[in-house]
Each structure stands twice: as structure tokens, then as C-alpha cells.
Amino acid sequence: MTLVDIISKKEGPRREDERARNMLQANRGAVTQIADHLTQGGYSAGKRAKAAAANAAPAPEGKLFYDVSGRSRISADSGDIRVRVSVNNRVVAYDSGSGKQVHMLGEIRRQEDTRYFALASRENGFFSGLPDEITEKISELDGQIIDQACPESLLAAEISERLGFS
């Protein structure tokens, strides 16, 4: 294993590349010591972990299939729906077991210095609205001002209660 692989269009290594490779190879101990100092031992620990993993289990033979649909991540807690305001001001209902979003309920918008809840509807500029049974239950909250009297957590709790998720 080489410390540095240099790729160039010329056939064979260039003289300056060969000198750099030789210098790094000759000073491998010092380079490793500096890398360990900068990473607080992580460089050597990572190399040991890779070596142990390579020696531990042989690679499986045949074709490997991966399920990326998310069904395999659903835990026993699945079915517990919760409401939260994410860091990008989206108000969503999600399954706490799998972490998957169930409904995009709306978002917190800002107009001048006022923050307010905008329900996910075509009138508010969303591509698709919510199902009618959800819209009926939380439509009164459309335009609700978010401030110290009604923080995001209180809005999420109110939506959760109206939808029967609590």
C-alpha cells in the first residue's frame, strides 16, 4: 500500500513524484506520528480497525440485495404519530418508530418581523394540500402567529391534540 498515489498523463511516474513518494516512505513514522497527533490517535485507530475488519469476516459470495425502502428500519414503536417543527421551519407529522414523514402539515413563515403558521394548502402556495379530514381539524390554525405567547412547541402540541396523535 502506498501512502500517496499520483496520477499523471505521462507513462510512468515523474521524477518529482517519485522523489516525493520516496521522501514520504522514508519518513513514514514521522508522518504517522503527526497524523496521530492531529487526529488525537484516530489515524492509527482507523488503520487498526480497517485491518481487523479485513481479517475478521470473509466477504459473502454471490449477489447482494439491499432494501433501501426503509421498511427494514421500522421499529416496534411504529404507529406512534407525532408532530414537530423541524429546523427548516416545516411542520410535519411523522412516525416516531421509523422516522418517516406521514404528512407535511405546513410551515412557519416570516412576514416582516412576524412569524406565522401557514397550512399546507394550494392557497398558501403548496403543490398539494392535505386530506380533507386533516384540513378540517387544523384549518383554524392557519395564520396563527408564532411568538412568546404561542411558541412552536405549543403549536405542535395543539396540532397533535386536534389530530388525535397525543
mmCIF file of all heavy atoms in Angstrom, residues 10-57:
data_model
loop_
_atom_site.group_PDB
_atom_site.id
_atom_site.type_symbol
_atom_site.label_atom_id
_atom_site.label_comp_id
_atom_site.label_asym_id
_atom_site.label_seq_id
_atom_site.Cartn_x
_atom_site.Cartn_y
_atom_site.Cartn_z
ATOM 1 N N LYS A 10 1.424 11.225 -18.237
ATOM 2 C CA LYS A 10 2.657 10.640 -18.728
ATOM 3 C C LYS A 10 2.760 9.186 -18.278
ATOM 4 O O LYS A 10 2.337 8.829 -17.194
ATOM 5 C CB LYS A 10 3.841 11.446 -18.175
ATOM 6 C CG LYS A 10 5.179 10.953 -18.596
ATOM 7 C CD LYS A 10 6.267 11.751 -17.914
ATOM 8 C CE LYS A 10 7.566 11.000 -18.076
ATOM 9 N NZ LYS A 10 8.528 11.329 -17.102
ATOM 10 N N GLU A 11 3.324 8.332 -19.119
ATOM 11 C CA GLU A 11 3.556 6.938 -18.741
ATOM 12 C C GLU A 11 4.646 6.893 -17.677
ATOM 13 O O GLU A 11 5.688 7.520 -17.807
ATOM 14 C CB GLU A 11 4.004 6.113 -19.957
ATOM 15 C CG GLU A 11 2.908 5.871 -20.959
ATOM 16 C CD GLU A 11 1.791 5.006 -20.396
ATOM 17 O OE1 GLU A 11 2.085 4.064 -19.649
ATOM 18 O OE2 GLU A 11 0.622 5.295 -20.694
ATOM 19 N N GLY A 12 4.366 6.180 -16.615
ATOM 20 C CA GLY A 12 5.351 6.057 -15.550
ATOM 21 C C GLY A 12 5.343 7.290 -14.663
ATOM 22 O O GLY A 12 4.826 8.344 -15.023
ATOM 23 N N PRO A 13 5.942 7.173 -13.495
ATOM 24 C CA PRO A 13 5.948 8.306 -12.564
ATOM 25 C C PRO A 13 6.942 9.395 -13.000
ATOM 26 O O PRO A 13 7.969 9.117 -13.609
ATOM 27 C CB PRO A 13 6.377 7.675 -11.246
ATOM 28 C CG PRO A 13 7.120 6.448 -11.622
ATOM 29 C CD PRO A 13 6.528 5.980 -12.917
ATOM 30 N N ARG A 14 6.603 10.628 -12.652
ATOM 31 C CA ARG A 14 7.531 11.722 -12.919
ATOM 32 C C ARG A 14 8.624 11.695 -11.856
ATOM 33 O O ARG A 14 8.449 11.132 -10.780
ATOM 34 C CB ARG A 14 6.786 13.061 -12.863
ATOM 35 C CG ARG A 14 5.697 13.159 -13.911
ATOM 36 C CD ARG A 14 5.007 14.489 -13.871
ATOM 37 N NE ARG A 14 4.492 14.759 -12.523
ATOM 38 C CZ ARG A 14 3.848 15.868 -12.208
ATOM 39 N NH1 ARG A 14 3.632 16.801 -13.098
ATOM 40 N NH2 ARG A 14 3.420 16.048 -10.985
ATOM 41 N N ARG A 15 9.753 12.309 -12.173
ATOM 42 C CA ARG A 15 10.875 12.297 -11.235
ATOM 43 C C ARG A 15 10.495 12.948 -9.911
ATOM 44 O O ARG A 15 10.794 12.414 -8.839
ATOM 45 C CB ARG A 15 12.077 13.021 -11.827
ATOM 46 C CG ARG A 15 12.832 12.226 -12.845
ATOM 47 C CD ARG A 15 14.160 12.902 -13.178
ATOM 48 N NE ARG A 15 13.999 14.313 -13.501
ATOM 49 C CZ ARG A 15 14.093 14.826 -14.722
ATOM 50 N NH1 ARG A 15 14.377 14.052 -15.742
ATOM 51 N NH2 ARG A 15 13.939 16.105 -14.930
ATOM 52 N N GLU A 16 9.820 14.109 -9.956
ATOM 53 C CA GLU A 16 9.469 14.806 -8.712
ATOM 54 C C GLU A 16 8.427 14.020 -7.909
ATOM 55 O O GLU A 16 8.426 14.039 -6.684
ATOM 56 C CB GLU A 16 8.974 16.235 -8.971
ATOM 57 C CG GLU A 16 7.820 16.359 -9.931
ATOM 58 C CD GLU A 16 8.222 16.511 -11.392
ATOM 59 O OE1 GLU A 16 9.357 16.218 -11.768
ATOM 60 O OE2 GLU A 16 7.358 16.929 -12.160
ATOM 61 N N ASP A 17 7.559 13.273 -8.605
ATOM 62 C CA ASP A 17 6.580 12.438 -7.906
ATOM 63 C C ASP A 17 7.280 11.283 -7.198
ATOM 64 O O ASP A 17 6.944 10.922 -6.069
ATOM 65 C CB ASP A 17 5.536 11.879 -8.874
ATOM 66 C CG ASP A 17 4.715 12.971 -9.530
ATOM 67 O OD1 ASP A 17 4.680 14.098 -8.992
ATOM 68 O OD2 ASP A 17 4.105 12.699 -10.577
ATOM 69 N N GLU A 18 8.238 10.703 -7.873
ATOM 70 C CA GLU A 18 8.989 9.590 -7.292
ATOM 71 C C GLU A 18 9.790 10.058 -6.072
ATOM 72 O O GLU A 18 9.849 9.362 -5.062
ATOM 73 C CB GLU A 18 9.914 9.000 -8.365
ATOM 74 C CG GLU A 18 10.386 7.607 -8.098
ATOM 75 C CD GLU A 18 9.266 6.608 -7.841
ATOM 76 O OE1 GLU A 18 8.230 6.640 -8.524
ATOM 77 O OE2 GLU A 18 9.447 5.796 -6.921
ATOM 78 N N ARG A 19 10.376 11.260 -6.159
ATOM 79 C CA ARG A 19 11.113 11.800 -5.014
ATOM 80 C C ARG A 19 10.183 12.055 -3.830
ATOM 81 O O ARG A 19 10.518 11.759 -2.682
ATOM 82 C CB ARG A 19 11.838 13.095 -5.389
ATOM 83 C CG ARG A 19 13.172 12.847 -6.085
ATOM 84 C CD ARG A 19 13.884 14.133 -6.305
ATOM 85 N NE ARG A 19 13.093 14.836 -7.323
ATOM 86 C CZ ARG A 19 13.370 16.005 -7.853
ATOM 87 N NH1 ARG A 19 14.416 16.655 -7.454
ATOM 88 N NH2 ARG A 19 12.623 16.538 -8.764
ATOM 89 N N ALA A 20 8.989 12.602 -4.101
ATOM 90 C CA ALA A 20 8.023 12.869 -3.026
ATOM 91 C C ALA A 20 7.574 11.559 -2.385
ATOM 92 O O ALA A 20 7.486 11.463 -1.154
ATOM 93 C CB ALA A 20 6.823 13.633 -3.570
ATOM 94 N N ARG A 21 7.308 10.544 -3.189
ATOM 95 C CA ARG A 21 6.889 9.250 -2.668
ATOM 96 C C ARG A 21 7.996 8.641 -1.805
ATOM 97 O O ARG A 21 7.738 8.112 -0.719
ATOM 98 C CB ARG A 21 6.538 8.315 -3.823
ATOM 99 C CG ARG A 21 5.996 6.970 -3.336
ATOM 100 C CD ARG A 21 5.550 6.075 -4.461
ATOM 101 N NE ARG A 21 4.360 6.582 -5.119
ATOM 102 C CZ ARG A 21 4.301 6.987 -6.390
ATOM 103 N NH1 ARG A 21 5.371 6.924 -7.159
ATOM 104 N NH2 ARG A 21 3.196 7.449 -6.901
ATOM 105 N N ASN A 22 9.232 8.706 -2.276
ATOM 106 C CA ASN A 22 10.359 8.167 -1.516
ATOM 107 C C ASN A 22 10.559 8.910 -0.201
ATOM 108 O O ASN A 22 10.851 8.295 0.829
ATOM 109 C CB ASN A 22 11.640 8.199 -2.346
ATOM 110 C CG ASN A 22 11.614 7.193 -3.484
ATOM 111 O OD1 ASN A 22 10.865 6.217 -3.437
ATOM 112 N ND2 ASN A 22 12.401 7.438 -4.521
ATOM 113 N N MET A 23 10.421 10.247 -0.220
ATOM 114 C CA MET A 23 10.582 11.025 0.994
ATOM 115 C C MET A 23 9.491 10.662 2.011
ATOM 116 O O MET A 23 9.765 10.472 3.200
ATOM 117 C CB MET A 23 10.520 12.531 0.705
ATOM 118 C CG MET A 23 10.823 13.338 1.943
ATOM 119 S SD MET A 23 10.013 14.925 2.150
ATOM 120 C CE MET A 23 8.374 14.738 1.667
ATOM 121 N N LEU A 24 8.248 10.523 1.555
ATOM 122 C CA LEU A 24 7.161 10.144 2.459
ATOM 123 C C LEU A 24 7.372 8.734 3.002
ATOM 124 O O LEU A 24 7.111 8.467 4.176
ATOM 125 C CB LEU A 24 5.812 10.245 1.750
ATOM 126 C CG LEU A 24 5.336 11.670 1.456
ATOM 127 C CD1 LEU A 24 4.116 11.642 0.550
ATOM 128 C CD2 LEU A 24 5.039 12.419 2.728
ATOM 129 N N GLN A 25 7.820 7.823 2.151
ATOM 130 C CA GLN A 25 8.061 6.450 2.578
ATOM 131 C C GLN A 25 9.186 6.399 3.614
ATOM 132 O O GLN A 25 9.089 5.670 4.599
ATOM 133 C CB GLN A 25 8.403 5.581 1.356
ATOM 134 C CG GLN A 25 8.447 4.110 1.642
ATOM 135 C CD GLN A 25 7.079 3.559 2.026
ATOM 136 O OE1 GLN A 25 6.059 4.097 1.637
ATOM 137 N NE2 GLN A 25 7.075 2.511 2.817
ATOM 138 N N ALA A 26 10.242 7.189 3.392
ATOM 139 C CA ALA A 26 11.369 7.212 4.322
ATOM 140 C C ALA A 26 10.966 7.816 5.667
ATOM 141 O O ALA A 26 11.523 7.461 6.708
ATOM 142 C CB ALA A 26 12.532 7.998 3.725
ATOM 143 N N ASN A 27 10.010 8.713 5.671
ATOM 144 C CA ASN A 27 9.580 9.395 6.892
ATOM 145 C C ASN A 27 8.190 8.935 7.348
ATOM 146 O O ASN A 27 7.458 9.685 7.987
ATOM 147 C CB ASN A 27 9.579 10.911 6.672
ATOM 148 C CG ASN A 27 10.958 11.436 6.400
ATOM 149 O OD1 ASN A 27 11.877 11.169 7.165
ATOM 150 N ND2 ASN A 27 11.119 12.152 5.309
ATOM 151 N N ARG A 28 7.842 7.686 7.028
ATOM 152 C CA ARG A 28 6.507 7.164 7.352
ATOM 153 C C ARG A 28 6.218 7.257 8.851
ATOM 154 O O ARG A 28 5.115 7.599 9.263
ATOM 155 C CB ARG A 28 6.366 5.722 6.888
ATOM 156 C CG ARG A 28 5.003 5.119 7.244
ATOM 157 C CD ARG A 28 4.869 3.702 6.765
ATOM 158 N NE ARG A 28 4.751 3.592 5.338
ATOM 159 C CZ ARG A 28 3.599 3.693 4.665
ATOM 160 N NH1 ARG A 28 2.504 3.936 5.322
ATOM 161 N NH2 ARG A 28 3.568 3.552 3.373
ATOM 162 N N GLY A 29 7.188 6.986 9.685
ATOM 163 C CA GLY A 29 6.982 7.058 11.141
ATOM 164 C C GLY A 29 6.629 8.459 11.591
ATOM 165 O O GLY A 29 5.707 8.646 12.398
ATOM 166 N N ALA A 30 7.346 9.448 11.066
ATOM 167 C CA ALA A 30 7.069 10.834 11.447
ATOM 168 C C ALA A 30 5.706 11.278 10.922
ATOM 169 O O ALA A 30 4.954 11.966 11.623
ATOM 170 C CB ALA A 30 8.163 11.760 10.917
ATOM 171 N N VAL A 31 5.366 10.868 9.701
ATOM 172 C CA VAL A 31 4.074 11.229 9.119
ATOM 173 C C VAL A 31 2.945 10.618 9.946
ATOM 174 O O VAL A 31 1.943 11.277 10.252
ATOM 175 C CB VAL A 31 3.997 10.782 7.634
ATOM 176 C CG1 VAL A 31 2.595 10.936 7.088
ATOM 177 C CG2 VAL A 31 4.986 11.563 6.798
ATOM 178 N N THR A 32 3.091 9.362 10.343
ATOM 179 C CA THR A 32 2.076 8.694 11.163
ATOM 180 C C THR A 32 1.951 9.377 12.519
ATOM 181 O O THR A 32 0.842 9.580 13.018
ATOM 182 C CB THR A 32 2.431 7.209 11.346
ATOM 183 O OG1 THR A 32 2.518 6.604 10.054
ATOM 184 C CG2 THR A 32 1.395 6.479 12.177
ATOM 185 N N GLN A 33 3.084 9.753 13.102
ATOM 186 C CA GLN A 33 3.063 10.419 14.399
ATOM 187 C C GLN A 33 2.350 11.766 14.308
ATOM 188 O O GLN A 33 1.538 12.105 15.170
ATOM 189 C CB GLN A 33 4.494 10.614 14.904
ATOM 190 C CG GLN A 33 4.576 11.162 16.301
ATOM 191 C CD GLN A 33 6.017 11.296 16.766
ATOM 192 O OE1 GLN A 33 6.947 11.212 15.977
ATOM 193 N NE2 GLN A 33 6.186 11.513 18.056
ATOM 194 N N ILE A 34 2.603 12.529 13.253
ATOM 195 C CA ILE A 34 1.930 13.822 13.067
ATOM 196 C C ILE A 34 0.434 13.612 12.842
ATOM 197 O O ILE A 34 -0.400 14.324 13.411
ATOM 198 C CB ILE A 34 2.576 14.605 11.903
ATOM 199 C CG1 ILE A 34 3.992 15.038 12.289
ATOM 200 C CG2 ILE A 34 1.733 15.819 11.528
ATOM 201 C CD1 ILE A 34 4.809 15.593 11.130
ATOM 202 N N ALA A 35 0.088 12.603 12.025
ATOM 203 C CA ALA A 35 -1.331 12.324 11.760
ATOM 204 C C ALA A 35 -2.043 11.921 13.046
ATOM 205 O O ALA A 35 -3.176 12.353 13.291
ATOM 206 C CB ALA A 35 -1.466 11.233 10.708
ATOM 207 N N ASP A 36 -1.395 11.117 13.877
ATOM 208 C CA ASP A 36 -1.995 10.725 15.152
ATOM 209 C C ASP A 36 -2.143 11.918 16.091
ATOM 210 O O ASP A 36 -3.136 12.036 16.809
ATOM 211 C CB ASP A 36 -1.167 9.638 15.833
ATOM 212 C CG ASP A 36 -1.473 8.258 15.294
ATOM 213 O OD1 ASP A 36 -2.583 8.067 14.759
ATOM 214 O OD2 ASP A 36 -0.608 7.364 15.412
ATOM 215 N N HIS A 37 -1.162 12.810 16.062
ATOM 216 C CA HIS A 37 -1.226 14.000 16.915
ATOM 217 C C HIS A 37 -2.392 14.888 16.488
ATOM 218 O O HIS A 37 -3.141 15.392 17.330
ATOM 219 C CB HIS A 37 0.097 14.774 16.850
ATOM 220 C CG HIS A 37 0.081 16.042 17.654
ATOM 221 N ND1 HIS A 37 0.122 16.033 19.028
ATOM 222 C CD2 HIS A 37 0.013 17.342 17.281
ATOM 223 C CE1 HIS A 37 0.083 17.281 19.461
ATOM 224 N NE2 HIS A 37 0.016 18.094 18.413
ATOM 225 N N LEU A 38 -2.576 15.079 15.180
ATOM 226 C CA LEU A 38 -3.646 15.949 14.676
ATOM 227 C C LEU A 38 -5.028 15.335 14.881
ATOM 228 O O LEU A 38 -6.006 16.055 15.079
ATOM 229 C CB LEU A 38 -3.428 16.257 13.193
ATOM 230 C CG LEU A 38 -2.208 17.111 12.863
ATOM 231 C CD1 LEU A 38 -2.019 17.221 11.365
ATOM 232 C CD2 LEU A 38 -2.341 18.494 13.480
ATOM 233 N N THR A 39 -5.132 14.015 14.837
ATOM 234 C CA THR A 39 -6.431 13.346 14.968
ATOM 235 C C THR A 39 -6.631 12.724 16.333
ATOM 236 O O THR A 39 -7.587 11.972 16.531
ATOM 237 C CB THR A 39 -6.591 12.249 13.896
ATOM 238 O OG1 THR A 39 -5.573 11.261 14.086
ATOM 239 C CG2 THR A 39 -6.514 12.828 12.501
ATOM 240 N N GLN A 40 -5.741 13.023 17.259
ATOM 241 C CA GLN A 40 -5.798 12.505 18.622
ATOM 242 C C GLN A 40 -5.863 10.975 18.627
ATOM 243 O O GLN A 40 -6.654 10.355 19.321
ATOM 244 C CB GLN A 40 -6.985 13.096 19.370
ATOM 245 C CG GLN A 40 -6.875 14.583 19.515
ATOM 246 C CD GLN A 40 -8.116 15.211 20.110
ATOM 247 O OE1 GLN A 40 -9.153 14.575 20.238
ATOM 248 N NE2 GLN A 40 -7.997 16.473 20.472
ATOM 249 N N GLY A 41 -5.027 10.365 17.800
ATOM 250 C CA GLY A 41 -4.921 8.914 17.743
ATOM 251 C C GLY A 41 -5.889 8.249 16.783
ATOM 252 O O GLY A 41 -5.860 7.038 16.613
ATOM 253 N N GLY A 42 -6.735 9.020 16.148
ATOM 254 C CA GLY A 42 -7.740 8.470 15.248
ATOM 255 C C GLY A 42 -7.174 7.850 13.991
ATOM 256 O O GLY A 42 -7.726 6.897 13.449
ATOM 257 N N TYR A 43 -6.048 8.368 13.502
ATOM 258 C CA TYR A 43 -5.455 7.852 12.274
ATOM 259 C C TYR A 43 -5.030 6.392 12.459
ATOM 260 O O TYR A 43 -5.432 5.515 11.702
ATOM 261 C CB TYR A 43 -4.261 8.728 11.871
ATOM 262 C CG TYR A 43 -3.518 8.224 10.655
ATOM 263 C CD1 TYR A 43 -4.045 8.392 9.386
ATOM 264 C CD2 TYR A 43 -2.295 7.582 10.786
ATOM 265 C CE1 TYR A 43 -3.377 7.926 8.271
ATOM 266 C CE2 TYR A 43 -1.615 7.116 9.675
ATOM 267 C CZ TYR A 43 -2.158 7.292 8.418
ATOM 268 O OH TYR A 43 -1.494 6.824 7.315
ATOM 269 N N SER A 44 -4.258 6.107 13.488
ATOM 270 C CA SER A 44 -3.800 4.733 13.730
ATOM 271 C C SER A 44 -4.955 3.828 14.144
ATOM 272 O O SER A 44 -5.012 2.666 13.754
ATOM 273 C CB SER A 44 -2.720 4.700 14.809
ATOM 274 O OG SER A 44 -1.542 5.309 14.323
ATOM 275 N N ALA A 45 -5.896 4.362 14.915
ATOM 276 C CA ALA A 45 -7.051 3.564 15.330
ATOM 277 C C ALA A 45 -7.878 3.169 14.116
ATOM 278 O O ALA A 45 -8.363 2.037 14.030
ATOM 279 C CB ALA A 45 -7.908 4.347 16.321
ATOM 280 N N GLY A 46 -8.030 4.070 13.165
ATOM 281 C CA GLY A 46 -8.765 3.767 11.936
ATOM 282 C C GLY A 46 -8.068 2.708 11.110
ATOM 283 O O GLY A 46 -8.720 1.819 10.545
ATOM 284 N N LYS A 47 -6.744 2.795 11.032
ATOM 285 C CA LYS A 47 -5.985 1.790 10.286
ATOM 286 C C LYS A 47 -6.101 0.420 10.952
ATOM 287 O O LYS A 47 -6.247 -0.598 10.266
ATOM 288 C CB LYS A 47 -4.517 2.209 10.172
ATOM 289 C CG LYS A 47 -4.319 3.386 9.223
ATOM 290 C CD LYS A 47 -2.870 3.708 9.055
ATOM 291 C CE LYS A 47 -2.225 2.650 8.258
ATOM 292 N NZ LYS A 47 -1.479 2.996 7.118
ATOM 293 N N ARG A 48 -6.049 0.395 12.295
ATOM 294 C CA ARG A 48 -6.196 -0.877 13.010
ATOM 295 C C ARG A 48 -7.592 -1.450 12.805
ATOM 296 O O ARG A 48 -7.764 -2.653 12.626
ATOM 297 C CB ARG A 48 -5.911 -0.693 14.499
ATOM 298 C CG ARG A 48 -4.435 -0.591 14.838
ATOM 299 C CD ARG A 48 -4.193 -0.690 16.339
ATOM 300 N NE ARG A 48 -4.878 0.333 17.110
ATOM 301 C CZ ARG A 48 -4.385 1.549 17.365
ATOM 302 N NH1 ARG A 48 -3.196 1.879 16.909
ATOM 303 N NH2 ARG A 48 -5.075 2.415 18.064
ATOM 304 N N ALA A 49 -8.610 -0.599 12.838
ATOM 305 C CA ALA A 49 -9.991 -1.067 12.664
ATOM 306 C C ALA A 49 -10.195 -1.635 11.262
ATOM 307 O O ALA A 49 -10.854 -2.664 11.090
ATOM 308 C CB ALA A 49 -10.975 0.069 12.918
ATOM 309 N N LYS A 50 -9.625 -0.990 10.249
ATOM 310 C CA LYS A 50 -9.739 -1.499 8.878
ATOM 311 C C LYS A 50 -9.048 -2.849 8.742
ATOM 312 O O LYS A 50 -9.549 -3.755 8.100
ATOM 313 C CB LYS A 50 -9.138 -0.506 7.885
ATOM 314 C CG LYS A 50 -10.016 0.677 7.599
ATOM 315 C CD LYS A 50 -9.374 1.584 6.572
ATOM 316 C CE LYS A 50 -10.175 2.840 6.377
ATOM 317 N NZ LYS A 50 -9.525 3.771 5.455
ATOM 318 N N ALA A 51 -7.870 -2.968 9.349
ATOM 319 C CA ALA A 51 -7.132 -4.226 9.273
ATOM 320 C C ALA A 51 -7.894 -5.336 9.998
ATOM 321 O O ALA A 51 -7.967 -6.470 9.516
ATOM 322 C CB ALA A 51 -5.741 -4.063 9.879
ATOM 323 N N ALA A 52 -8.483 -5.024 11.154
ATOM 324 C CA ALA A 52 -9.244 -6.025 11.902
ATOM 325 C C ALA A 52 -10.499 -6.435 11.135
ATOM 326 O O ALA A 52 -10.867 -7.613 11.114
ATOM 327 C CB ALA A 52 -9.626 -5.479 13.269
ATOM 328 N N ALA A 53 -11.152 -5.486 10.484
ATOM 329 C CA ALA A 53 -12.362 -5.793 9.718
ATOM 330 C C ALA A 53 -12.027 -6.642 8.497
ATOM 331 O O ALA A 53 -12.791 -7.534 8.122
ATOM 332 C CB ALA A 53 -13.057 -4.511 9.290
ATOM 333 N N ALA A 54 -10.885 -6.387 7.876
ATOM 334 C CA ALA A 54 -10.485 -7.156 6.704
ATOM 335 C C ALA A 54 -10.147 -8.598 7.085
ATOM 336 O O ALA A 54 -10.405 -9.528 6.321
ATOM 337 C CB ALA A 54 -9.285 -6.496 6.039
ATOM 338 N N ASN A 55 -9.604 -8.793 8.276
ATOM 339 C CA ASN A 55 -9.228 -10.125 8.725
ATOM 340 C C ASN A 55 -10.380 -10.868 9.405
ATOM 341 O O ASN A 55 -10.332 -12.085 9.542
ATOM 342 C CB ASN A 55 -8.052 -10.047 9.709
ATOM 343 C CG ASN A 55 -6.803 -9.521 9.027
ATOM 344 O OD1 ASN A 55 -6.634 -9.670 7.830
ATOM 345 N ND2 ASN A 55 -5.946 -8.882 9.799
ATOM 346 N N ALA A 56 -11.400 -10.150 9.856
ATOM 347 C CA ALA A 56 -12.447 -10.751 10.684
ATOM 348 C C ALA A 56 -13.388 -11.657 9.902
ATOM 349 O O ALA A 56 -13.583 -12.807 10.256
ATOM 350 C CB ALA A 56 -13.250 -9.658 11.375
ATOM 351 N N ALA A 57 -14.017 -11.146 8.864
ATOM 352 C CA ALA A 57 -15.039 -11.935 8.180
ATOM 353 C C ALA A 57 -14.770 -11.949 6.676
ATOM 354 O O ALA A 57 -14.451 -10.920 6.095
ATOM 355 C CB ALA A 57 -16.411 -11.336 8.447
#
